[in-house]
Amino acid sequence: MKIPKLVIVGTGLIGSSIALAAKRRHLVERVIGVDQNREVCARAGVLGLIDEECSELAEAAAHADFLVVCTPVDTIAANILTAARACRPGTVLTDVGSTKANLVRTIEDSLPPGILFVGSHPLAGSEKTGPAFANPELFDERLVLLTPTARTNPDAITRVRAFWQALGAGVRVIDPEEHDRALAMTSHLPHVAAAALAGILPVELLALTATGFRDTTRIAAGPSSLWRAILQDNRVALLDAVVRLRAQLDEFAQALENDDGPRLAALLEQGRQI
Amino acid sequence: MKIPKLVIVGTGLIGSSIALAAKRRHLVERVIGVDQNREVCARAGVLGLIDEECSELAEAAAHADFLVVCTPVDTIAANILTAARACRPGTVLTDVGSTKANLVRTIEDSLPPGILFVGSHPLAGSEKTGPAFANPELFDERLVLLTPTARTNPDAITRVRAFWQALGAGVRVIDPEEHDRALAMTSHLPHVAAAALAGILPVELLALTATGFRDTTRIAAGPSSLWRAILQDNRVALLDAVVRLRAQLDEFAQALENDDGPRLAALLEQGRQI
């Protein structure tokens, strides 16, 4: 697999890491970066992560062979559709959004014929942001979830799978709705819990924290605007997950209230096993 | 400071790390290990972390100049008092318990005259267990909290402070009740949250977790029996902390229910700042 022109839309941490990984693995001839934030795009250029900056998504898309949208989830569908209308038939489009059901539906409802799209979600990231933290090994031995539907062109799946595998990742196919329910539990709920734990800590107690607190709340340092969009997009599944967490905390509270050692040990053991 | 005979009661991860750190820093002439679990003590001996094993706490205490109890919190008070009754006047005793109010009160109510005791809590640890994971740098640049009361002999504070500083740690004095309220928020609540998050994850979703889930739940891998004792001993302050976390989760749930982006962003930002 060799991609003549790879277009990265959104040259932040994930987009820049894809660009760098693709270059290092000789998967691409040329990488074009597009970012609404000109400074971020220029920075990716200065760092040599992209070969060319382009201020217009439609213009970049017109020359793309493969295009990846790495913008916040609430802008992905619009960016994919703008690109889809501008690009040549046969161009492959994907995204890296942390939620999938809504955006895949919106995109597939309006996708022009001949354009190959399938949603992707690499289970890799960082609480850091920006091209300065680009990591060419970010996808190495990590899992990327592809979320095709009955309407997805099988060629899109084949080519997007090959793309992620070329970056070192494993690939698994999952239904978009199932993806969102699963990620509510494995990613979005942990983020809410970390943000809640950090948010209620009186600042004067920060000096009394150790690695336990820091690990448990590390992901809460991620950018609020990106996570706001993710949580809001997956609000139905996430609400269900929050309810489950509250119920489990109630179990802990009840065991503490009753000074019930065996019950407390059983609840701890349930978590330890996982 | 040079300790002729250091007795370590409980030669697990923390006790073995203290022994190793004290040896490496030439703080001690001889380390005697005591552990109810003979195998754990023998292992610490084989690894060269202690110089001598002793099966009887009272016997070891009789020869001690400085003694540190590193057993589970529900056995610390009894071990300190057994040692206190057997040791010579002037011997310094401390512990590494994660809770302080109850055990300090119990100990000070029965401490024989002439015995120097002050409670310690090093804010350092690991989810790993046993002498095989002993780490001589475990206390380096970490904070140790000392919890004296009005009844504490000032010499005990001076000597226990010097001990931890000699192991590379910083020392801060805090009231035992205040310690327990603070640690409920900085350590015990994060443990409950991590155990709850892990405990409710359906096992088939484990494959879809990434570093975010792993970091957030890492501490839940700690030994259930040790944590059961800690949480139970601090149940009043911890219950209050659990109630605060539930209230914050309710805020998130309400923002999700109302599809209230600005509120969600504000809650995330509150956590991000900390």
Side-chain angles (χ1 to χ4, degrees), chain B residues 92-114:
Chain B
V92 183
L93 310 181
T94 190
D95 72 295
V96 299
S98 297
T99 55
K100 294 264 83 85
N102 289 335
L103 68 89
V104 167
R105 197 182 317 111
T106 306
I107 291 164
E108 290 192 334
D109 283 349
S110 305
L111 197 68

Side-chain angles (χ1 to χ4, degrees), chain B residues 6-55:
Chain B
L6 171 66
V7 173
I8 299 290
V9 184
T11 57
L13 176 92
I14 304 283
S16 289
S17 295
I18 293 172
L20 188 56
K23 278 166 160 284
R24 291 269 174 92
R25 289 166 179 263
H26 308 291
L27 180 63
V28 289
E29 274 163 20
R30 203 164 172 76
V31 181
I32 302 167
V34 184
D35 203 304
Q36 204 176 252
N37 183 331
R38 302 292 287 271
E39 220 173 286
V40 168
C41 205
R43 187 93 202 110
V46 167
L47 292 169
L49 309 172
I50 58 173
D51 301 304
E52 195 182 313
E53 299 163 43
C54 183
S55 57

Side-chain angles (χ1 to χ4, degrees), chain A residues 10-17 35 37 40 43-44 47 49 70 72 125-135 138 191 218-227, chain B residues 269 272:
Chain A
T11 56
L13 176 92
I14 303 283
S16 288
S17 295
D35 203 301
N37 184 330
V40 168
R43 188 94 201 107
L47 291 168
L49 309 171
C70 310
S126 169
E127 76 281 12
K128 306 215 172 72
T129 57
F133 294 103
N135 172 7
L138 191 63
H191 197 94
R218 179 186 64 80
I219 53 173
S224 307
S225 58
L226 294 188
W227 279 96
Chain B
E269 189 57 24
R272 202 186 69 81

Side-chain angles (χ1 to χ4, degrees), chain A:
Chain A
M1 188 182 194
K2 187 87 175 183
I3 298 170
K5 278 203 179 162
L6 171 66
V7 173
I8 299 290
V9 184
T11 56
L13 176 92
I14 303 283
S16 288
S17 295
I18 293 173
L20 189 56
K23 277 167 161 281
R24 291 271 174 89
R25 289 166 179 263
H26 308 291
L27 180 63
V28 288
E29 275 165 21
R30 201 163 173 78
V31 181
I32 302 166
V34 183
D35 203 301
Q36 203 176 253
N37 184 330
R38 301 292 288 269
E39 221 173 286
V40 168
C41 206
R43 188 94 201 107
V46 167
L47 291 168
L49 309 171
I50 57 173
D51 300 303
E52 193 182 315
E53 300 162 43
C54 183
S55 57
E56 282 302 317
L57 170 54
E59 190 188 320
H63 301 96
D65 297 289
F66 200 107
L67 182 146
V68 188
V69 173
C70 310
T71 60
V73 292
D74 50 354
T75 63
I76 289 174
N79 284 333
I80 287 280
L81 290 173
T82 299
R85 285 179 203 115
C87 67
R88 296 163 300 182
T91 302
V92 183
L93 310 181
T94 191
D95 72 295
V96 300
S98 297
T99 54
K100 293 264 85 86
N102 290 335
L103 70 89
V104 167
R105 195 181 319 110
T106 305
I107 290 164
E108 291 192 335
D109 282 350
S110 305
L111 197 68
I115 305 298
L116 304 177
F117 167 80
V118 64
S120 306
H121 179 199
L123 301 185
S126 169
E127 76 281 12
K128 306 215 172 72
T129 57
F133 294 103
N135 172 7
E137 266 104 52
L138 191 63
F139 310 102
D140 217 26
E141 295 184 36
R142 306 303 279 279
L143 186 65
V144 177
L145 302 175
L146 299 194
T147 57
T149 69
R151 298 192 270 178
T152 305
N153 184 320
D155 273 0
I157 305 174
T158 306
R159 294 178 63 187
V160 172
R161 182 198 299 268
F163 176 78
W164 291 114
Q165 285 173 340
L167 299 190
V171 170
R172 184 166 151 180
V173 164
I174 186 172
D175 169 79
E177 306 272 352
E178 193 189 333
H179 168 278
D180 285 6
R181 280 193 301 271
L183 270 287
M185 291 296 286
T186 60
S187 168
H188 310 159
L189 182 64
H191 197 94
V192 165
L197 272 173
I200 59 173
L201 190 79
V203 70
E204 67 272 17
L205 293 189
L206 255 182
L208 302 185
T209 59
T211 49
F213 183 86
R214 271 168 241 164
D215 286 352
T216 311
T217 60
R218 179 186 64 80
I219 53 173
S224 307
S225 58
L226 294 188
W227 279 96
R228 194 273 309 150
I230 293 167
L231 304 187
Q232 210 170 353
D233 191 57
N234 201 19
R235 50 189 283 272
V236 177
L238 179 54
L239 251 173
D240 184 58
V242 172
V243 168
R244 286 201 235 178
L245 179 60
R246 275 195 309 200
Q248 189 78 345
L249 288 176
D250 285 342
E251 294 280 338
F252 273 97
Q254 185 124 45
L256 289 167
E257 225 154 54
N258 300 343
D259 207 4
D260 184 346
R263 178 72 188 129
L264 209 47
L267 287 165
L268 289 168
E269 190 56 24
Q270 191 185 341
R272 201 185 69 79
Q273 290 294 338
I274 287 283

Side-chain angles (χ1 to χ4, degrees), chain B residues 7-258:
Chain B
V7 173
I8 299 290
V9 184
T11 57
L13 176 92
I14 304 283
S16 289
S17 295
I18 293 172
L20 188 56
K23 278 166 160 284
R24 291 269 174 92
R25 289 166 179 263
H26 308 291
L27 180 63
V28 289
E29 274 163 20
R30 203 164 172 76
V31 181
I32 302 167
V34 184
D35 203 304
Q36 204 176 252
N37 183 331
R38 302 292 287 271
E39 220 173 286
V40 168
C41 205
R43 187 93 202 110
V46 167
L47 292 169
L49 309 172
I50 58 173
D51 301 304
E52 195 182 313
E53 299 163 43
C54 183
S55 57
E56 282 301 318
L57 170 55
E59 192 190 319
H63 300 96
D65 298 288
F66 199 108
L67 182 147
V68 189
V69 173
C70 309
T71 59
V73 293
D74 49 354
T75 64
I76 289 174
N79 284 333
I80 287 280
L81 290 172
T82 300
R85 286 179 201 113
C87 68
R88 295 163 301 179
T91 301
V92 183
L93 310 181
T94 190
D95 72 295
V96 299
S98 297
T99 55
K100 294 264 83 85
N102 289 335
L103 68 89
V104 167
R105 197 182 317 111
T106 306
I107 291 164
E108 290 192 334
D109 283 349
S110 305
L111 197 68
I115 304 300
L116 304 178
F117 167 79
V118 64
S120 305
H121 179 199
L123 301 186
S126 170
E127 76 281 11
K128 306 215 171 71
T129 57
F133 293 103
N135 172 7
E137 266 104 52
L138 191 63
F139 310 103
D140 217 26
E141 295 184 35
R142 306 302 281 276
L143 186 65
V144 177
L145 302 175
L146 299 194
T147 58
T149 70
R151 298 192 272 179
T152 305
N153 184 321
D155 274 1
I157 306 174
T158 306
R159 293 177 64 187
V160 172
R161 181 197 299 269
F163 176 78
W164 290 114
Q165 285 173 340
L167 299 189
V171 171
R172 184 166 151 180
V173 164
I174 186 171
D175 169 80
E177 307 272 354
E178 193 189 331
H179 168 278
D180 285 6
R181 281 192 300 271
L183 271 288
M185 290 296 287
T186 60
S187 169
H188 310 159
L189 181 64
H191 197 93
V192 165
L197 272 172
I200 60 173
L201 190 79
V203 71
E204 66 273 17
L205 294 189
L206 256 182
L208 302 186
T209 59
T211 50
F213 183 86
R214 271 168 239 162
D215 286 352
T216 312
T217 60
R218 180 186 64 81
I219 54 173
S224 307
S225 58
L226 294 188
W227 278 98
R228 194 273 309 150
I230 292 168
L231 304 187
Q232 211 169 353
D233 190 56
N234 201 21
R235 49 190 282 273
V236 177
L238 179 54
L239 250 173
D240 184 57
V242 172
V243 168
R244 286 202 236 178
L245 178 60
R246 276 194 310 198
Q248 189 79 345
L249 289 176
D250 284 343
E251 295 280 337
F252 272 96
Q254 185 124 44
L256 290 168
E257 227 155 51
N258 300 342

